[in-house]
Amino acid sequence: MNFSRRNIMTLVGVVALAGVLIAAGLYGPTAWRVITGTEEPSNQVITQVPPVDQPASTDDMTPPLVVDPATAGVPGNTNEDTAGTKKYVEPDQTKMNLAPSLEGFFGDTALGPSSKSLAFGAAWNIHQYVDGYLFGVTAGPQMNEADIRRYIIFHKALWDSQMEKEQNLRQAATFTSYFANLLNRGIDAFDAKDAVRIDQFHQELHDLDMHLMRYDMDARVYGATPFPTKR
């Protein structure tokens, strides 16, 4: 990956906030709002559609944001459901159902519950935006290539920060290395705007989210991970 000085400074800021965000359990647009609130307006989230008007916040603790990914979709969209448009959905931990091929990487002798929750949330979150990018507003919320790339970097920084706290990291090295490399492949693919690599990243991410982290029997199986997805 090629990082400019500006990219590096942004990433440093993300890492500095990562521990706070993990402790607060914020992995989606709420946390993204914290990150984008530290940037200049030109660096805030840009969607593939005209910006959604957002009233100024009355809470001094909430940084301003041009567009909230949780409500962005089509011009004039509000918090009410819009027929045919999929909006961001927070990760639902009750749907976590790890495949046997992953279970051994988490638990008392491996990665702790915070890491499991973070991996689940990252796969869930990024998958939504990649679906929206590839298949349109009826498939998922919208972001352009540059912002999806930054969104993946954001989750990668959270993951790296969490891994520094894990005492049994070696016992889960197979998974942690794969997951970190998967996110890096996604960052590179969106940086290059390479359709083939983006599709490959989507297939891996899909299988990780839909079959390895939760067991959705109705979802397509791409067979795009080294971990068995069949139960």
Side-chain angles (χ1 to χ4, degrees), residues 35 115 128 142 156 199:
I35 298 300
S115 293
Q128 290 186 74
Q142 301 289 288
K156 176 65 165 52
D199 185 57

Side-chain angles (χ1 to χ4, degrees), residues 126-193:
I126 299 168
H127 188 197
Q128 290 186 74
Y129 286 106
V130 174
D131 273 356
Y133 171 81
L134 289 174
F135 308 116
V137 296
T138 60
Q142 301 289 288
M143 276 192 194
N144 60 26
E145 294 99 339
D147 284 319
I148 292 179
R149 174 181 176 275
R150 292 186 349 183
Y151 197 57
I152 301 171
I153 290 174
F154 165 67
H155 284 86
K156 176 65 165 52
L158 292 178
W159 180 253
D160 289 345
S161 178
Q162 179 62 31
M163 291 305 98
E164 294 176 359
K165 305 173 186 177
E166 289 290 349
Q167 297 182 359
N168 298 318
L169 190 61
R170 290 184 179 181
Q171 284 83 333
T174 300
F175 175 77
T176 58
S177 296
Y178 171 78
F179 189 56
N181 288 331
L182 171 63
L183 296 180
N184 281 334
R185 286 194 294 275
I187 293 166
D188 288 341
F190 279 98
D191 185 37
K193 300 182 181 181

Side-chain angles (χ1 to χ4, degrees), residues 36-49:
T36 56
T38 66
E39 295 290 322
E40 294 296 327
S42 60
N43 288 330
Q44 291 178 345
V45 176
I46 302 171
T47 61
Q48 292 172 303
V49 294

Side-chain angles (χ1 to χ4, degrees), residues 67-103:
V67 178
D68 185 345
T71 58
V74 295
N77 192 16
T78 67
N79 288 328
E80 297 178 358
D81 290 337
T82 302
T85 299
K86 278 195 175 180
K87 297 183 292 183
Y88 173 84
V89 178
E90 288 282 356
D92 184 351
Q93 299 289 328
T94 65
K95 294 185 177 181
M96 189 186 302
N97 184 12
L98 294 183
S101 57
L102 290 192
E103 283 182 332

